């Protein structure tokens, strides 16, 4: 088959992912002088706009979840999530807002494109996409990875999970509570998604049992309390990311805010939490105390891990089990950025981080341009430097590579 050059692109910066973090970073890169479709390419694996939101369940409303902060540049469009509709599915509202955002700022996102593999090549990286999309590959000098976590749910390695004869779903697979009507359902996880599932299941007459790894902590939903706990969560995540350690659960630092949802669950007696069961058997679970409980289904609302499988060939994971990242930059390879990772995972943090990432990338591109246009040294001077001569630059360090270590940890979310 002949080689089709039209399916192989070249750019200076590629942003992978058009969710909150990817769009925020792309916006700031355009303000730094990059042009989408020319020296900036934004690709997204989703079939439409909205990032992970496009895949969320129909019943979820914006008022049911954490605050969704506005993207940079939304105000000039006259848009804000603060006054977005609360009576329509959140997935539809966010998708519509993001579509208008991409069009207004002319970001020219190319979709659907799912990155299958990333490899180093001279001067940058080659990204290979799964077959079926509009491109086969792209070469870029700098890679901004903003693939989020939605496609990589974290399910704890509980013995017997594969032996269970009932139904099991993780958060990304949840469509509605209807299939569980009248059933006895174990909901596992200590975050807001688990609370939402408990509420929906009660509405269809399901009997629920709530399991968490740690005892949930409920806090008053006051702004100053939320800000303090949020800052603490960011600091903990930042410390772990910089050390290349497995990222801890956000809810373990923030707690669960008291809300009308929590009050409703408490009134029904649905917050009588049980510690995690020891194992799963075909028709139920073996409790922590060794007793048996029958269940028809298990809902895993146990959080997510960053979706970074396509970066495995770069050997970026360190001995502590994760990639070391500071200010969004991979410590071992500063021309790779992980947008929305760790302390940048919240919507407000990803917006702020996008500005920092754009500034660092602009500096890198300017340095590369300066190096490429600098006059070459005279051969005689290069062969016979004087005793006072100083090197222009330090020798380039060898890439830091370590073996990949797969670590599974139950976050309790």
């Amino acid at each position: 088959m002949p080689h089709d050059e039209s399916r192989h692109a070249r750019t200076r910066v590629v942003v992978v992912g058009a969710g909150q973090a990817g769009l925020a970073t792309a916006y700031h890169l355009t303000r730094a002088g990059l042009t989408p479709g020319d020296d900036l390419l934004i690709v997204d694996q989703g079939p439409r706009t909205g990032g992970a939101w496009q895949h969320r369940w129909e019943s979820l409303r914006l008022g049911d979840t954490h605050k969704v902060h506005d993207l940079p540049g939304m105000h000039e469009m006259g848009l804000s999530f603060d006054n977005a509709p609360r009576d329509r599915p959140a997935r539809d509202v966010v998708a519509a807002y993001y579509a208008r955002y991409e069009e207004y700022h002319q970001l020219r996102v190319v979709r659907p494109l799912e990155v299958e593999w990333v490899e180093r090549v001279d001067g940058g990286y080659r990204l290979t996409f799964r077959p079926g999309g509009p491109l086969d590959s792209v070469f870029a000098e700098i890679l901004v990875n903003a693939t989020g976590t939605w496609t990589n749910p974290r399910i704890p390695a509980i013995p017997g999970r594969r032996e269970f004869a009932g139904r099991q779903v993780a958060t990304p697979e949840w469509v509605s509570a209807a299939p569980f009507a009248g059933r006895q359902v174990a909901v596992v996880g200590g975050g807001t998604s688990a609370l939402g599932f408990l509420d929906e299941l009660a509405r269809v007459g399901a009997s629920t049992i709530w399991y968490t790894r740690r005892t949930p902590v409920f806090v008053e939903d006051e702004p100053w309390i939320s800000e303090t706990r949020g800052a603490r969560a960011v600091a903990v995540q930042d410390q772990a990311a910089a050390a290349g350690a497995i990222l801890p659960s956000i809810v373990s630092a923030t707690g669960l805010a008291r809300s009308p949802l929590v009050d409703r669950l408490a009134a029904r007696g649905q917050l009588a939490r049980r510690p995690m069961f020891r194992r799963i058997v075909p028709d139920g679970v073996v409790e922590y105390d060794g007793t048996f409980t029958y269940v028809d289904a298990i809902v895993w609302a146990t959080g997510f891990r960053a979706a970074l499988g396509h970066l495995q060939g770069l050997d970026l994971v360190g001995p502590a089990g994760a990639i070391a990242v500071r200010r969004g930059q991979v410590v071992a390879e500063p021309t790779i950025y992980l947008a929305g990772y760790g302390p940048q995972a919240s919507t407000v943090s990803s917006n702020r981080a996008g500005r920092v990432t754009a500034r660092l990338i602009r500096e890198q591109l300017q340095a590369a341009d300066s190096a490429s246009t600098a006059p070459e040294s005279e051969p005689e001077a290069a062969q016979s430097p004087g005793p006072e001569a100083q090197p222009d630059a330090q020798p380039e360090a060898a890439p830091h590579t370590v073996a990949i270590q797969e670590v599974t940890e139950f976050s309790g979310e």
Side-chain angles (χ1 to χ4, degrees):
M1 180 179 293
H3 182 75
D4 185 355
E5 286 294 337
S6 67
R7 298 188 59 81
H8 302 271
R10 292 183 67 89
T11 189
R12 302 207 71 181
V13 180
V14 62
V15 177
V16 181
Q20 182 91 17
L23 291 179
T25 303
Y27 170 88
H28 287 296
L29 286 171
T30 63
R31 295 305 179 271
L34 277 71
T35 303
D38 182 9
D39 44 14
L40 171 63
L41 179 65
I42 308 143
V43 302
D44 186 52
Q45 75 174 41
R48 63 175 184 146
T49 57
W53 284 96
Q54 67 189 283
H55 304 295
R56 302 210 177 197
W57 50 101
E58 190 277 338
S59 63
L60 185 67
R61 302 294 188 264
L62 286 177
D64 298 335
T65 185
H66 298 296
K67 177 180 172 64
V68 180
H69 289 268
D70 294 338
L71 290 163
M74 271 182 64
H75 287 183
E76 66 188 73
M77 302 168 55
L79 284 182
S80 174
F81 284 115
D82 290 341
N83 52 27
R86 295 294 192 269
D87 59 347
R88 292 168 49 200
R91 65 187 184 191
D92 295 339
V93 176
V94 176
Y97 277 35
Y98 279 16
R100 292 174 62 181
Y101 184 86
E102 290 181 15
E103 181 179 5
Y104 184 90
H105 293 292
Q106 301 180 35
L107 297 181
R108 301 177 63 181
V109 178
V110 182
R111 57 169 59 88
L113 277 177
E114 182 178 357
V115 180
E116 187 172 43
W117 199 246
V118 179
E119 59 187 329
R120 296 182 186 89
V121 294
D122 290 342
Y125 307 92
R126 178 181 293 113
L127 285 68
T128 302
F129 303 112
R130 292 192 184 279
L135 289 174
D136 291 334
S137 70
V138 63
F139 166 84
E141 297 172 43
I142 294 174
L143 165 62
V144 179
N145 191 89
T147 47
T149 63
W150 184 257
T151 59
N152 195 23
R154 182 189 341 229
I155 298 178
I158 303 293
R161 188 167 69 86
R162 299 189 185 281
E163 301 169 13
F164 185 59
R167 183 168 185 170
Q168 297 185 67
V169 297
T171 299
E173 300 166 318
W174 178 274
V175 176
S176 76
F180 306 98
R183 304 290 187 177
Q184 177 142 300
V185 184
V187 177
V188 185
T192 54
S193 292
L195 298 184
F197 295 151
L198 288 168
D199 188 44
E200 289 191 45
L201 288 163
R203 296 178 188 179
V204 299
S207 172
T208 60
I209 309 170
W210 186 30
Y211 294 93
T212 66
R213 186 165 63 92
R214 59 172 63 89
T215 302
V217 176
F218 293 93
V219 298
E220 295 303 320
D221 192 17
E222 297 291 341
W224 70 271
I225 295 177
S226 298
E227 290 174 8
T228 300
R229 290 182 175 270
R232 184 185 308 161
V234 168
V236 170
Q237 292 268 313
D238 193 29
Q239 184 178 16
I246 298 294
L247 299 177
S249 157
I250 292 288
V251 74
S252 64
T254 62
L256 290 165
R258 292 195 175 278
S259 65
L261 169 61
V262 170
D263 293 340
R264 191 160 62 243
L265 294 172
R268 294 195 200 116
Q270 287 183 278
L271 297 183
R273 162 263 181 191
R274 296 185 187 181
M276 272 304 299
F277 40 81
R278 296 189 176 206
R279 67 173 289 111
I280 302 171
V281 293
D283 56 348
V285 299
V286 177
E287 301 280 1
Y288 184 79
D289 62 4
T291 60
F292 167 79
T293 297
Y294 173 85
V295 296
D296 295 295
I298 303 173
V299 177
W300 300 101
T302 43
F304 299 84
R305 288 178 294 180
L308 302 174
H310 52 286
L311 301 180
Q312 281 189 329
L314 301 178
D315 287 338
L316 299 173
V317 175
I323 301 175
V325 179
R326 293 194 182 97
R327 293 196 305 172
Q329 256 179 322
V330 174
V331 174
E333 197 143 348
T335 49
I336 297 179
Y337 294 80
L338 301 188
Y341 180 81
Q344 299 181 8
S346 72
T347 55
V348 65
S349 297
S350 63
N351 287 353
R352 295 168 179 165
R355 184 183 299 109
V356 174
T357 295
R359 177 176 58 78
L360 293 172
I361 289 175
R362 182 185 63 216
E363 293 171 357
Q364 288 176 322
L365 294 176
Q366 289 174 343
D369 291 342
S370 298
S372 65
T373 57
E376 294 184 4
S377 305
E378 292 293 332
E380 293 79 11
Q383 294 170 4
S384 305
E388 74 286 354
Q390 298 294 322
D392 292 329
Q394 295 296 321
E396 185 178 354
H400 172 70
T401 59
V402 294
I404 288 186
Q405 210 175 311
E406 184 64 29
V407 178
T408 301
E409 177 182 312
F410 172 31
S411 70
E413 290 192 82

